[in-house]
Amino acid sequence: MAKITYIENNKEEHVVEVPNGNTVMEGAVQNNIPGIDADCGGAMACATCHIYVDEKWYDKIKKKEDGEEDMIDMAFEPNKFSRLSCQITVSDDLDGLIVRMPSKQS
Amino acid sequence: MISTDVIVIGAGPVGLFAVHQLGIIGLKAEIIDNLNKVGGQCSELYPDKPIYDIPGIPKCTGETLTENLMEQIEPFGSKIHLNERVQEVVKEGTKWKVTTSKQKIFNTSAIIIAGGVGSFEPRKFSLKDSENFEGKSIFYSVKDKSFFENKDICIFGGGDSALDWSIELSKKSKVTLVHRRDEFRGANKSIEIVNKLKKDGKIQVETPYQLESIEGKDKIKSVMIKNEDGKNKKIKADILLGFFGLIMQLGPIANWGLGMDKKTIAVNTENFETNQKGIFAVGDICSYPGKLKLILSGFHETALAARGCFKYARPNEKYRFEFTTTSKSIKKRLGVKNDKQE
Ligand SMILES: Cc1cc2nc3c(=O)[nH]c(=O)nc-3n(C[C@H](O)[C@H](O)[C@H](O)COP(=O)(O)OP(=O)(O)OC[C@H]3O[C@@H](n4cnc5c(N)ncnc54)[C@H](O)[C@@H]3O)c2cc1C
Ligand code: FES
């Protein structure tokens, strides 16, 4: 279980507990947190689950696998802290994680 | 006005198979799709990638699956209207009136929506000003190459389209290729050519940079690009081309009074009918408890939705369950003359 803070582009914060094994994307969608569309349902095929990981957390998260960076090319306003939230699996290590949503997903 | 039993909206794999399921029970259908080709996501997003979970087909690419589906529905002679988006769906008496972006009008007893996640549109520049220049000096595709001759062109993107057009347009124009990171994801061969052109001074390549601002009033004069460390560069340009892939936009479907659940349409699992009698939804666009966005699930959904259409298209007849192997009438519809083993 990890407590994750999702910050919308308008600064609104949502703090939820996400069970281990779920993805950061699922944590948002299942709790009706706006700002993550996840059109492809987590198959790394849409880039509409794009988030910016908090600077302090970025290096603590498991590195991107093949294909994620390519998909991020298509995300809206990517930067060096960009990740696809469907590719981050929650574990106890992520307790306290902070992620921010872009102004829109498409 | 075109009259038919069923209108299928979307020619993705699921829409194509819907035509088959309608055809074998004797219903006439016409398909409408916004794209210039059939196959939906399979042909637009992953034509060369093999799919491994189509029942009975251990491995086939998105393109092959689409070709096979086209062959399978050929006997029914359904008309496919491409490059047209369905804009409006309105009830007229017991029928539905369907209007497309080209003002084509259909009159139909039932509708099957197989619209996927909506229609594909190019992803655009995020800058607000960019809208004002769209179609004049900002483009997301190249239709007429001659328009792009003798210009200062700034191309954004890191995939095959960005690389290929940089190579092609640099023959007659000055091209700057800008990408958000140092690696390009296109074919190795194109990357090699771009590197060579860069070495020879025929193309300027700027990475890792992104568009920061556009200068110019009616026409673009130059653009400012910025890297992650905040460093700015000014690039002279009168044309911008953006190749950021495609995004699916739900579009007009949201306005048809259907029970929408986020970007999907709620259906029952008995026959995949929506909250509107006579309108069914199948494939990626429908939602119900346990829905999986898989082609095989979509195929199953069309079998039931097609039977659901029957009572609207043939109100005075009773649908009879039959197998394709043994039914004479189905074989007639399929145009099978003699299927005895030789
Ligand atoms: C990279 C990738 C890999 C995949 N791999 C697999 C796999 O291995 N196995 C699997 O089962 N699935 C896979 N999928 C998912 C599969 O492609 C989809 O489930 C399938 O395409 C859904 O089919 P569909 O016909 O419902 O919708 P789509 O294929 O999305 O087609 C919908 C069509 O409707 C059209 N449309 C939408 N709105 C309108 C309108 N208003 N007017 C006219 N036309 C409209 C669109 O232009 C589009 O052509 C994959 C998807 C991706 C992106
Ligand atoms: S949900 Fe589509 S890429 Fe993450």
Side-chain angles (χ1 to χ4, degrees):
Chain A
M1 187 83 90
K3 196 175 260 177
I4 301 181
T5 306
Y6 297 84
I7 307 178
E8 283 184 70
N9 198 255
N10 63 12
K11 304 281 182 301
E12 195 166 323
E13 291 189 15
H14 307 260
V15 186
V16 292
E17 299 218 317
V18 184
N20 290 353
N22 278 23
T23 63
V24 172
M25 177 277 277
E26 288 166 325
V29 171
Q30 286 165 10
N31 290 293
N32 290 315
I33 298 173
I36 293 184
D37 291 358
D39 284 347
C40 77
M44 202 163 78
C46 73
T48 64
C49 62
H50 171 214
I51 48 150
Y52 308 112
V53 175
D54 187 75
E55 240 181 282
K56 291 195 250 359
W57 278 93
Y58 189 79
D59 288 325
K60 295 184 194 155
I61 294 176
K62 219 170 128 230
K63 296 268 162 315
K64 300 178 194 110
E65 285 191 25
D66 272 7
E68 183 175 339
E69 195 67 62
D70 286 356
M71 211 58 227
I72 291 176
D73 277 352
M74 300 182 191
F76 187 81
E77 296 190 331
N79 70 19
K80 60 183 166 190
F81 301 110
S82 288
R83 288 292 308 256
L84 296 179
S85 57
C86 71
Q87 300 303 308
I88 308 173
T89 307
V90 173
S91 63
D92 292 343
D93 300 344
L94 294 193
D95 192 34
L97 174 69
I98 301 169
V99 299
R100 295 185 175 77
M101 272 80 94
S103 58
K104 53 182 193 160
Q105 288 289 358
S106 55
Chain B
M1 192 173 70
I2 302 171
S3 289
T4 183
D5 290 330
V6 182
I7 286 291
V8 176
I9 302 173
V14 178
L16 293 178
F17 197 64
V19 170
H20 182 270
Q21 290 299 299
L22 292 163
I24 59 170
I25 61 171
L27 300 187
K28 284 268 159 262
E30 308 236 348
I31 321 174
I32 305 166
D33 200 298
N34 193 35
L35 290 175
N36 61 1
K37 54 176 176 292
V38 297
Q41 294 173 48
C42 294
S43 51
E44 197 61 41
L45 299 181
Y46 59 102
D48 312 322
K49 282 206 186 110
I51 311 170
Y52 298 95
D53 58 353
I54 306 296
I57 304 173
K59 180 179 168 185
C60 82
T61 63
E63 192 173 12
T64 312
L65 179 70
T66 307
E67 283 165 9
N68 288 347
L69 285 165
M70 287 302 284
E71 187 187 327
Q72 204 167 9
I73 64 171
E74 206 217 31
F76 309 115
S78 282
K79 219 164 158 229
I80 304 180
H81 307 263
L82 295 175
N83 296 309
E84 288 188 59
R85 184 151 88 165
V86 176
Q87 294 296 111
E88 213 182 51
V89 168
V90 200
K91 184 109 206 179
E92 271 194 347
T94 58
K95 304 247 171 167
W96 291 95
K97 182 178 150 204
V98 172
T99 312
T100 72
S101 49
K102 291 196 181 151
Q103 297 304 318
K104 217 181 264 174
I105 296 174
F106 297 85
N107 181 273
T108 182
S109 305
I111 298 170
I112 295 184
I113 303 176
V117 195
S119 30
F120 295 90
E121 284 168 26
R123 285 172 209 258
K124 303 196 169 166
F125 288 106
S126 50
L127 220 61
K128 273 248 148 54
D129 316 352
S130 63
E131 281 169 33
N132 307 337
F133 296 106
E134 207 180 308
K136 290 181 273 181
S137 34
I138 295 190
F139 301 88
Y140 298 98
S141 65
V142 176
K143 294 222 165 75
D144 174 13
K145 252 196 309 192
S146 62
F147 179 82
F148 297 87
E149 286 172 9
N150 305 316
K151 301 257 163 51
D152 288 314
I153 305 175
C154 205
I155 297 182
F156 291 80
D160 283 312
S161 309
L163 294 167
D164 294 349
W165 282 117
S166 297
I167 297 168
E168 180 61 32
L169 298 179
S170 68
K171 292 175 188 161
K172 301 210 166 145
S173 280
K174 195 177 162 302
V175 170
T176 309
L177 175 60
V178 185
H179 183 40
R180 62 170 273 267
R181 58 190 170 115
D182 296 328
E183 301 80 34
F184 287 91
R185 59 173 196 284
N188 283 336
K189 192 148 175 274
S190 319
I191 298 175
E192 274 167 31
I193 301 177
V194 165
N195 283 334
K196 170 134 200 332
L197 289 169
K198 181 184 165 189
K199 232 170 93 199
D200 300 345
K202 301 238 167 72
I203 288 186
Q204 192 180 335
V205 179
E206 297 292 351
T207 59
Y209 279 91
Q210 294 190 69
L211 182 63
E212 171 69 11
S213 61
I214 301 174
E215 276 148 52
K217 258 212 164 126
D218 300 329
K219 281 188 185 154
I220 294 180
K221 287 198 180 117
S222 65
V223 293
M224 196 65 92
I225 56 173
K226 191 177 175 183
N227 72 6
E228 300 261 328
D229 305 321
K231 197 176 145 210
N232 283 324
K233 258 191 203 177
K234 190 168 168 169
I235 311 275
K236 186 164 175 268
D238 39 35
I239 296 229
L240 307 192
L241 272 163
F243 295 109
F244 308 112
L246 296 165
I247 181 82
M248 292 173 275
Q249 298 281 8
L250 188 58
I253 295 174
N255 313 325
W256 300 342
L258 303 167
M260 302 298 299
D261 175 14
K262 287 195 188 134
K263 295 183 184 175
T264 57
I265 304 170
V267 291
N268 71 55
T269 48
E270 197 179 315
N271 59 9
F272 300 90
E273 197 163 20
T274 65
N275 64 348
Q276 302 284 341
K277 294 268 161 278
I279 302 187
F280 300 78
V282 294
D284 278 12
I285 201 155
C286 74
S287 71
Y288 52 86
K291 166 68 187 169
L292 292 175
K293 288 189 181 182
L294 286 176
I295 296 167
L296 91 93
S297 311
F299 286 171
H300 157 75
E301 291 151 16
T302 65
L304 289 164
R307 272 81 179 169
C309 291
F310 192 87
K311 67 169 189 246
Y312 296 103
R314 302 279 181 274
N316 304 320
E317 288 173 39
K318 183 154 176 353
Y319 163 71
R320 261 186 51 223
F321 178 76
E322 292 175 306
F323 286 132
T324 58
T325 30
T326 48
S327 157
K328 268 209 188 101
S329 43
I330 291 183
K331 280 185 207 172
K332 206 168 138 209
R333 290 174 195 137
L334 285 167
V336 178
K337 293 211 175 68
N338 179 5
D339 62 356
K340 292 245 157 53
Q341 292 272 320
E342 317 237 290

